[in-house]
Amino acid sequence: MPTEGHMRFRYLGADGVDELAELWSAVHERHTSVAPDLHDVIASLGAEEAWRRRRAQYRLWLAEPSSLAVLAERAGVPVGYAMVTVRENPQGSWDRGESVAVVQTLAIHPEAEGTGVGSALLDEIRLQVAAQGVRDIELSALAGSSEDIRFFEREGFRPFVTTMVCRIGGTGALD
């Protein structure tokens, strides 16, 4: 796995989504390992089923012209990717413009972590969505993933909304 050298970005359409399978698998493994305390609230999926569902979602998102699938490569080897959608922004308490970019997935190959791939992908996303007139980017990070949260804060992201989850049918945390 090349961790140094020139990084190249390639934009994928719906027909190129299968190139992301291995990197998605690393994301899925990371999600299930950093949030074991959520297993009593949200059932995790096996890697194959998670990819099947995510692949279908990526193909739907990429049917929209404003969506982006950006694959980062070094020496022709995939080292990370970002899946970004753009949604209309209903006006409410905050002026965030007419639309907001949403980083649906930011995946970095485990061997390429800490080598600038994530920062480079976020810079590329910023350029592309700004060209669409988008002012704000949002993303989600697992609450238990403090390393990821610190990385996003270094990249200029700040907590905005906290999503809480619970299982329906119980009256307390352990029901």
Side-chain angles (χ1 to χ4, degrees):
M1 163 81 35
T3 57
E4 294 182 13
H6 180 70
M7 194 172 331
R8 182 177 91 101
F9 297 111
R10 200 160 40 95
Y11 289 82
L12 304 177
D15 58 336
V17 165
D18 288 331
E19 293 186 56
L20 306 176
E22 183 180 334
L23 289 166
W24 167 257
S25 180
V27 168
H28 174 69
E29 185 176 318
R30 180 169 175 86
H31 283 172
T32 57
S33 70
V34 300
D37 56 317
L38 293 178
H39 290 284
D40 64 331
V41 179
I42 299 175
S44 63
L45 299 170
E48 286 183 33
E49 180 62 13
W51 172 244
R52 185 189 70 74
R53 292 180 185 192
R54 187 52 102 172
R55 179 184 183 273
Q57 185 63 64
Y58 284 172
R59 293 177 63 80
L60 284 173
W61 283 330
L62 289 171
E64 295 296 322
S66 58
S67 294
L68 305 168
V70 185
L71 180 65
E73 298 174 315
R74 282 194 174 130
V77 177
V79 292
Y81 77 91
M83 176 63 66
V84 181
T85 59
V86 177
R87 66 169 174 78
E88 287 185 26
N89 184 44
Q91 298 302 313
S93 298
W94 311 100
D95 178 12
R96 300 182 69 206
E98 292 181 22
S99 57
V100 173
V102 181
V103 178
Q104 301 289 350
T105 309
L106 182 66
I108 311 303
H109 191 286
E111 292 179 28
E113 289 179 9
T115 66
V117 175
S119 295
L121 278 164
L122 289 172
D123 288 345
E124 183 68 11
I125 290 165
R126 286 179 179 107
L127 288 171
Q128 296 302 321
V129 299
Q132 295 182 44
V134 175
R135 295 187 340 216
D136 287 352
I137 299 173
E138 62 185 44
L139 53 77
S140 297
L142 287 172
S145 185
S146 57
E147 285 180 37
D148 292 346
I149 291 168
R150 281 192 300 274
F151 166 73
F152 293 130
E153 288 176 338
R154 284 192 308 270
E155 288 294 321
F157 290 85
R158 295 293 175 260
F160 179 59
V161 174
T162 301
T163 301
M164 307 293 288
V165 297
C166 81
R167 202 35 70 99
I168 297 173
T171 57
L174 302 177
D175 289 330

